Structure formats: structure tokens, C-alpha cells
């Protein structure tokens, strides 16, 4: 029997897939009060470790969504990655030290990730039972252009052993349904191009006795047969993931498919048709690869083999349909970026869908298209970067082997090289600098031209990088707010404390020493005016500097912005490139990327009004 919803029962969003990506998206939609459902074909969540490494940018996202605590309580944090050739240490890379409040990689099994995200979804919905609809499979969908909805057919087993079918209507559908995505395959204009490696890989989660391998290092042993890596995880208690290739490195030319993944052989992590590996097989491989060192492995909780595919979908949006996470890009798990990229896809898309269905933006198409414009290049970069890394670690040609032994270790001795690699690996250099949502004010355009010119580059060699106003597309850094104690409750805060859980944009006024009341500072009046017109989409925050501020400034609530903070040292002003005495205004999106930054003169000249007028809908019209 097919159940069809009444016409007024149209969802805002149907989320297909309750892996980490779908679950984060569902958490976002829940936070904004959207009407959504999340379905998954499996009857339980992941039972294996699968994706484990969370990098700084993802943890910053979890922090902002009040999700980070259980991950910190559960995970383990190695300090460094070390590359060995036999018993000789070739290179050491410090994984600790990214520019973030979470300056490290945190290892947590995917099974816990899914549990934590599902639990927070359940709590936020005020429900006693999970709101993920399990054993529910998307079979097909179409876009109904007359009704402006997606019409999806889902099936689920019935208690009598049969199968029931339901028609679900939604304004948007998002495929978070992994590498074999039914959402992606549901449209013939979506291709998933790329290539597959010839070699098979083994992954084994095992125990290693205390004292044999340090638990605060990722260790990779190079060997002419291929690499063998050890990743400590969970509870800091001697559990390790072993990952190693099983032979023949190179690309499988026959696996260059254009439309979807055609068969099991082309899966991201295909179960390989070979005799199942036993603990003894893995022990023999380890013995050979790490000799003369010795470790004895036991208690395998998971041994599997897989082949690596590198693929990227051609566009993340088609009409009312989106793909995110592994449904959009798959690549080598070496580098640990699959999960992180997917979670960040969901964080990018969630607020955009919510703002569109709630009628908060002027140009819905521009906002929805910006998901592709911002996330597709990141997906492509990740596929390419992890491909290089996998080849450098694994390729068995004589030249690459010698480079690994003698050239690459030199690079790792440079702190500057380490810093660049860390920023890339931790995601702290991710920005949407060419986003169509950015508003380039004249001063920002001038600044960019100067910065990108040969002369600017040459001068920066001698004078250092000039202090510039932070530009649209950058992520909001965290920083310490040291405040004078004018009133009870004022203390030292982190900037991320001020904006945690935000579902609006944040309009920051960095007012230097220019006063925090309407009377003393015209820009405060401007910010108050904006916040009255855009209360549903913008929250104002003023950060000022102690010079020129008196306790009396805070007496009349009408005259200053409720969230006003005063710095005793201009730490945040410096962090965002606002010089003392001058003022600047930043508009930060709910996902913490800056979309507008301007000088006081530009705001007074109408740049902010012009930008907001074309971007957000005033409260009166929502
Ligand atoms: C062995 C292995 C090791 C890995 N190691 C790492 C690592 O170290 N670091 C890293 O970052 N990544 C790693 N990955 C990759 C990582 O697991 C994925 O990038 C991550 O799980 C992607 O999350 P996702 O939510 O996009 O997809 P998935 O986790 O695959 O979730 C997709 C969900 O969609 C559901 N689904 C599928 N089709 C349908 C349908 N038609 N209807 C309803 N539901 C459907 C599935 O049941 C599943 O629950 C590894 C993967 C594997 C398998």
C-alpha cells in the first residue's frame, strides 16, 4: 500500500542518510525550526570506527553548535605524526598547534560520532525516541515543477514481513546517502567522475599492549612493499587502527567511470573479493613492514579490505536537490578529510536552506547556488590533496621511494612548511574568498589589489604583512576578550563564547576607542537601527576599546547595543585588522564566515544598507 501525504503536509527538507553528514544537517535544521525528516535504510547506525579524525575547523563547528563536549570526553589527541624507515626516524610532523581553540586532530570512532549527533538531535526535538527514521529507504524521486516540490518514494518493511511504500513531499531533498547515493544516481545529469587505485588496502582495529607503541603519536613505517600506519584511538587505552596497502600500487585504468559507481569493484571502500584476512595475516604483514621493531596485535574489533576511489560529483545542486559528504566526493581515507569535508558541507547548507524556506533572504537562488560555489572547490581540493598524499606515502617507484627517504624529511624540518601543512590539514585555511555572497566594498577591493600586487608582495618581504581589515570569505577567528570589570558578570571571555549557538548573522562593530553609546558614536546608532529592522536575521555585537569608555556609558540600555564588550587590550581589534582610533563593521554568517567588512566611512556612506537591502528581508516582511 502507498501512503500519500495531504497537500498541506509538505516538508521543508527531506534528509536522506543518517551518517555523520545527514545527522549534522538534521541538527542544523532542527536548530532553525525547519520541518524536516531524516531517513536511513539501515536499521542501526554505524557499528565500526570508519572515519575517525576530526580536524580543527570541524571541531570549531561542533563548538558553535554546542556539540563538542562528548567528542572531547571520548576522543584521543595525538601530539605528532612520525615517519619511520625500519628503526630510523625519517620525519616528524607536529599535529598539535593549529591556529584554533582546537589546535589538534581528535580521534573518535564514527559509531560514537553518529550516537552523539543522534542524541543531540533527539534532545533538541524534545522527543524521548530517536527522530531518525531507520529501515526507511529512498527508492526514487522526481521534482514536480507545477507544485514546486520534490516527490520522493520511500519504502520500509512491515511487521508482517511485507514492504510498505510512502510518498514524501518536500521543498528540498538532500542526499547525505554516502558514496552509492540514490539521490545522486536519481538524476541522469549527475556524473561521479574519477579514478580507482589498483592496490587493495587493509584496515584493522586492534589492541596493542601498553608500552609497545606510544599512544600519542601517529606512526607510519615505510617499506619497499608499501606503508604501514598505526593510529591510536579512543580512551587512550592501547587501541590502534592499522592501515596498510596490500600490493600493486597505481591506478586501475578500467575503473574510470563517468556515471555513478557501476559495480562493487569501484566502491570508495569496496569489500574486495579475496580470502578474508585474519589477525595472523595482519600480524605477518606488520612484522615484515616494521622490522626490526616488533608489536603483537590482538582483539581485532574490525578487519576489512578496501580499494580507494577518487571521485567528485559535477555540481552539488540540481534544482531542489543537493548532495553532501560522500555522496558528493570520495577519496582516500589517508589524510582523514572525508568526514570533515562532509560535515562542513552540511554546516554550509543547513542555514541556507533554513533562511530560504523561512523567507529570510531576497535572492533564494543566489543563496542556494552559493552552496555549490563555495563547497565544490573545497571538495575538489580535498580529492586532489589526499590523492597526492596517498601517492607520496604509497608509490613504489624507485624515485618516489628515494624522495621519501632523503628529500621529504628535509621539508619537515622547516617549521614554516609544517605550519602550512597544518593549516591545510586542519582546515583552518578554508575560506570562501570568491563566494558570490561576499560584498567587496571599495576599501576591501583596494586592499586586495595592493596585497596581490608584485610591489605589495615585495614590500611584505621586508616590512612583514601589512595589517589589513579582515576580508569577506575569511572564517571568524577566535580570540580572547579581556574586559574591565565595570559591572558584575564582566570577565574574560572567548569570542566564540559570545556567538555560540547563533542562528542569525552577527553584525560586529569594532569601535576602537570611539564610544559605545548612540550619543558618543554615530555608528552605534546605525547598528541599533539595523538590528531593529533585522532582529530575525542579525544580532549586533559591539567590541570597543577601554579608552574613551566610562562606566556611565552603560546606564541607559536604549543607547547602546545589549552585547557590548570592552577590551582592555586591543587583541580582537588587532586580530581583525582594525587600527586603534578607526572603526570597522563586519557581518558574519551563521556558519561563522565573514560576508561583509567595511570601514566606518563606508558604512556611513550607505554601503551596509546597500548590501543588506539586496541580501536579507527586513523583519516586517518575513
Ligand atoms: C573503512 C573506512 C575507513 C574510513 N576512514 C576514514 C578516516 O579515517 N577519516 C575520514 O575522514 N573518513 C574516513 N572514511 C570515510 C568516512 O567514513 C566517510 O567520509 C563518512 O562516513 C561520510 O559520511 P556520510 O554521512 O557522507 O556518508 P555515510 O557515513 O556513508 O552515511 C550514509 C548513510 O546513508 C544511508 N543510505 C544510503 N543509501 C540510502 C537510501 N537509498 N535511503 C536511505 N538511506 C540511505 C546509509 O545507510 C548510511 O547510513 C572511512 C570510510 C571507511 C568505510
Amino acid at each position: 500500500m502507498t501512503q500519500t501525504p495531504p497537500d498541506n503536509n509538505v516538508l521543508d527538507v527531506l534528509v536522506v542518510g543518517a551518517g555523520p553528514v545527514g545527522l549534522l544537517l538534521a541538527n542544523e535544521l532542527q536548530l532553525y525550526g525547519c520541518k524536516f525528516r531524516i531517513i536511513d535504510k539501515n536499521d542501526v547506525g554505524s557499528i565500526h570506527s570508519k572515519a575517525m579524525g576530526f580536524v580543527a575547523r570541524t571541531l570549531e563547528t561542533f563548538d558553535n553548535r554546542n556539540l563538542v563536549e562528548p567528542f572531547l570526553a571520548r576522543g584521543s589527541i595525538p601530539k605528532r605524526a612520525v615517519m619511520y624507515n625500519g628503526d630510523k626516524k625519517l620525519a616528524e610532523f607536529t599535529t598539535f598547534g593549529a591556529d584554533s581553540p582546537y589546535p589538534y586532530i581528535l580521534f573518535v570512532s564514527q559509531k560514537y560520532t553518529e550516537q552523539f549527533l543522534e542524541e543531540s538531535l533527539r534532545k533538541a526535538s524534545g522527543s524521548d525516541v530517536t527522530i531518525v527514521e531507520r529501515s526507511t529507504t529512498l527508492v526514487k524521486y522526481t521534482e514536480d515543477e507545477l507544485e514546486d516540490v520534490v516527490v520522493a518514494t520511500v519504502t520500509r518493511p512491515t511487521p508482517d514481513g511485507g514492504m510498505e511504500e510512502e510518498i514524501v513531499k518536500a521543498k528540498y531533498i538532500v542526499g547525505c546517502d554516502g558514496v552509492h547515493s540514490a539521490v545522486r544516481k536519481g538524476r541522469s545529469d549527475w556524473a561521479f567522475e574519477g579514478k580507482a587505485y589498483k592496490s587493495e588496502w587493509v584496515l584493522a582495529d586492534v589492541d596493542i599492549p601498553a608500552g609497545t607503541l606510544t599512544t600519542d603519536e601517529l606512526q607510519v613505517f615505510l617499506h619497499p612493499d608499501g606503508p604501514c600506519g598505526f593510529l591510536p584511538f579512543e580512551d587512550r587505552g592501547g587501541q590502534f587502527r592499522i592501515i596498510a596497502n596490500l600490493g600493486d600500487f597505481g591506478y586501475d585504468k578500467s575503473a574510470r567511470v563517468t556515471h555513478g559507481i557501476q559495480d562493487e569493484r569501484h566502491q570508495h571502500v569496496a569489500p574486495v573479493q579475496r580470502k578474508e584476512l585474519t589477525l595472523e595475516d595482519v600480524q605477518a604483514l606488520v612484522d615484515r613492514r616494521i622490522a626490526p621493531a616488533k608489536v603483537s596485535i590482538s582483539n581485532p574489533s574490525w578487519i576489512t579490505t578496501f580499494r580507494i576511489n577518487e571521485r567528485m560529483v559535477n555540481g552539488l545542486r540540481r534544482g531542489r536537490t543537493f548532495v553532501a559528504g560522500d555522496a558528493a566526493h570520495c577519496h582516500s581515507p589517508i589524510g582523514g578529510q572525508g568526514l570533515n569535508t562532509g560535515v562542513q558541507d552540511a554546516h554550509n547548507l543547513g542555514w541556507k536552506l533554513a533562511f530560504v524556506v523561512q523567507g529570510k533572504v531576497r535572492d533564494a537562488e543566489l543563496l542556494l547556488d552559493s552552496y555549490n560555489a563555495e563547497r565544490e572547490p573545497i571538495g575538489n581540493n580535498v580529492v586532489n590533496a589526499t590523492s597526492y598524499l596517498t601517492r607520496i606515502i604509497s608509490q613504489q617507484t624507485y624515485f618516489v621511494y628515494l624522495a621519501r627517504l632523503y628529500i621529504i624529511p628535509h621539508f619537515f624540518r622547516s617549521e614554516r612548511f609544517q605550519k602550512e601543512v597544518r593549516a591545510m590539514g586542519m582546515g583552518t585555511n578554508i575560506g570562501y574568498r570568491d563566494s558570490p555572497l561576499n560584498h567587496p566594498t571599495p576599501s576591501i577591493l583596494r586592499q586586495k589589489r595592493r596585497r596581490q600586487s608584485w610591489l605589495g608582495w615585495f614590500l611584505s618581504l621586508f616590512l612583514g604583512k601589512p595589517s589589513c581589515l579582515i576580508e569577506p570569505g575569511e572564517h571568524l577567528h577566535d580570540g580572547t576578550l579581556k574586559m574591565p570589570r565595570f559591572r558584575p558578570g564582566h570577565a574574560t571571555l572567548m569570542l566564540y563564547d559570545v556567538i555560540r549557538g547563533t542562528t542569525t548573522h552577527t553584525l560586529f562593530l569594532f569601535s576602537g576607542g570611539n564610544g559605545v553609546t548612540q550619543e558618543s558614536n554615530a555608528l552605534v546608532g546605525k547598528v541599533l537601527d539595523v538590528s531593529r529592522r533585522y532582529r530575525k536575521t542579525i544580532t549586533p555585537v559591539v567590541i570597543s576599546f577601554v579608552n574613551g569608555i566610562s562606566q556611565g556609558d552603560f546606564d541607559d540600555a536604549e543607547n547602546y547595543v545589549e552585547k557590548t564588550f570592552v577590551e582592555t587590550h586591543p587583541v580582537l581589534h588587532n586580530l581583525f585588522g582594525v587600527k586603534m582610533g578607526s572603526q570597522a563593521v563586519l557581518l558574519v554568517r551563521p556558519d561563522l564566515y565573514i560576508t561583509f567588512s567595511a570601514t566606518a566611512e563606508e558604512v556611513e556612506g550607505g554601503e551596509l544598507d546597500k548590501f543588506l537591502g539586496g541580501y536579507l528581508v527586513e523583519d516586517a516582511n518575513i
Side-chain angles (χ1 to χ4, degrees), residues 48-292:
H48 291 305
S49 59
K50 284 172 79 178
M52 297 202 309
F54 288 99
V55 299
R57 180 57 49 84
T58 307
L59 295 168
E60 290 168 359
T61 302
F62 285 171
D63 173 328
N64 189 260
R65 271 30 192 138
N66 281 307
L67 294 168
V68 80
E69 298 300 328
F71 289 89
L72 297 181
R74 178 92 222 170
S76 68
I77 301 172
K79 289 191 191 130
R80 61 189 88 84
V82 186
M83 200 156 79
Y84 293 95
N85 185 34
D87 53 359
K88 184 169 177 258
K89 188 190 277 188
L90 291 178
E92 186 174 309
F93 173 64
T94 311
T95 48
F96 219 102
D99 181 13
S100 165
Y102 303 95
Y104 44 67
I105 306 176
L106 181 83
F107 283 100
V108 178
S109 291
Q110 187 164 330
K111 71 175 174 185
Y112 293 114
T113 298
E114 293 185 13
Q115 278 172 24
F116 298 153
L117 293 176
E118 197 169 336
E119 178 62 9
S120 85
L121 188 57
R122 189 188 59 72
K123 275 194 195 146
S125 71
S127 156
D128 286 341
V129 287
T130 177
I131 63 168
V132 175
E133 297 172 44
R134 297 213 170 267
S135 305
T136 306
T137 304
L138 174 85
V139 183
K140 60 180 184 191
Y141 68 95
T142 53
E143 287 197 21
D144 183 329
E145 280 170 19
L146 284 179
E147 279 193 65
D148 268 351
V149 289
V150 176
V151 182
T153 306
V154 305
T155 57
R156 70 177 73 78
T158 53
D160 61 7
M163 194 60 89
E164 70 181 9
E165 205 171 74
E166 185 192 1
I167 303 296
V168 180
K169 290 186 180 178
K171 290 178 191 152
Y172 298 99
I173 182 170
V174 187
C176 307
D177 48 349
V179 74
H180 301 290
S181 172
V183 173
R184 191 191 62 236
K185 289 178 184 171
R187 292 188 62 122
S188 57
D189 54 353
W190 250 331
F192 200 39
E193 289 190 345
K195 45 200 175 186
Y197 287 89
K198 267 194 287 193
S199 65
E200 297 161 15
W201 291 71
V202 59
L203 179 158
D205 290 345
V206 296
D207 287 355
I208 293 182
T212 327
L213 282 181
T214 57
T215 51
D216 59 1
E217 278 182 6
L218 307 173
Q219 301 179 42
V220 181
F221 290 82
L222 299 182
H223 187 273
D225 290 354
C228 180
F230 295 83
L231 284 66
F233 72 102
E234 241 137 66
D235 297 338
R236 306 152 181 93
Q239 255 192 304
F240 284 79
R241 165 176 291 181
I242 295 174
I243 185 159
N245 69 325
L246 293 173
D248 240 25
F249 191 84
Y251 287 117
D252 178 354
K253 301 227 165 43
S254 69
R256 197 176 262 277
V257 289
T258 50
H259 277 277
I261 289 178
Q262 312 292 5
D263 58 46
E264 287 292 283
R265 202 164 54 100
H266 300 144
Q267 290 185 12
H268 168 39
V269 276
V272 176
Q273 301 305 315
R274 57 155 46 237
K275 168 178 119 17
E276 281 203 354
L277 287 184
T278 62
L279 184 67
E280 290 67 39
D281 296 329
V282 181
Q283 179 73 65
L285 182 146
V286 166
D287 290 346
R288 185 168 155 74
R289 299 265 173 110
I290 74 169

Side-chain angles (χ1 to χ4, degrees), residues 389-567:
L389 186 64
T390 307
R391 278 181 280 162
I392 286 171
I393 288 185
S394 323
Q395 220 157 25
Q396 280 143 294
T397 63
Y398 194 59
F399 174 73
V400 177
Y401 187 64
L402 287 182
R404 278 200 299 262
L405 293 191
Y406 302 109
I407 301 175
I408 292 165
H410 281 287
F411 284 109
F412 280 96
R413 281 184 209 127
S414 150
E415 180 44 36
R416 199 184 166 134
F417 177 78
Q418 292 228 359
K419 202 171 156 193
E420 294 292 327
V421 174
R422 244 190 327 267
M424 209 161 66
M426 302 281 173
T428 49
N429 66 353
I430 291 176
Y432 305 135
R433 290 157 196 117
D434 298 318
S435 168
L437 301 183
N438 295 345
H439 179 78
T441 55
S443 65
I444 290 291
L445 286 174
R446 270 199 307 278
Q447 178 176 299
K448 267 191 165 173
R449 272 199 300 274
R450 240 186 353 252
R451 192 168 43 73
Q452 288 164 355
S453 71
W454 280 105
L455 184 62
W457 172 80
F458 185 70
L459 289 177
S460 74
L461 290 180
F462 301 98
L463 306 173
K465 283 192 181 154
S467 150
C468 293
L469 183 58
I470 192 156
E471 293 173 10
E474 297 295 333
H475 190 259
L476 190 80
H477 308 301
D478 197 12
T480 312
L481 249 172
K482 283 191 184 166
M483 294 175 290
R485 303 205 63 166
F486 284 144
R487 291 177 295 174
H490 268 209
T492 299
L493 268 183
M494 298 306 289
L495 186 60
Y496 279 7
D497 296 334
V498 174
I499 49 165
R500 185 165 296 114
T502 180
T503 52
T504 65
H505 290 63
T506 308
L507 185 66
F508 282 101
L509 166 59
F510 285 89
S511 70
N514 287 290
V516 292
T517 60
Q518 296 196 64
E519 287 81 17
S520 58
N521 187 349
L523 273 191
V524 174
K526 178 83 222 159
V527 169
L528 278 168
D529 169 54
V530 166
S531 64
R532 281 184 201 114
R533 288 188 285 133
Y534 294 93
R535 212 175 286 275
K536 291 184 182 159
T537 46
I538 295 180
T539 305
V541 173
V542 173
I543 314 259
S544 192
F545 183 57
V546 75
N547 285 4
I549 310 292
S550 73
Q551 188 201 7
D553 284 338
F554 292 97
D555 285 346
D556 186 356
E558 285 293 297
N559 290 330
Y560 71 93
V561 172
E562 195 186 329
K563 287 191 174 183
T564 295
F565 304 91
V566 181
E567 294 197 278

Side-chain angles (χ1 to χ4, degrees), residues 17 21 40-42 50-51 110 138 177 269 302 326 336 338-339:
V21 176
D40 197 289
K41 68 178 182 185
N42 287 343
K50 284 172 79 178
Q110 187 164 330
L138 174 85
D177 48 349
V269 276
W302 193 31
D326 274 19
L339 176 65

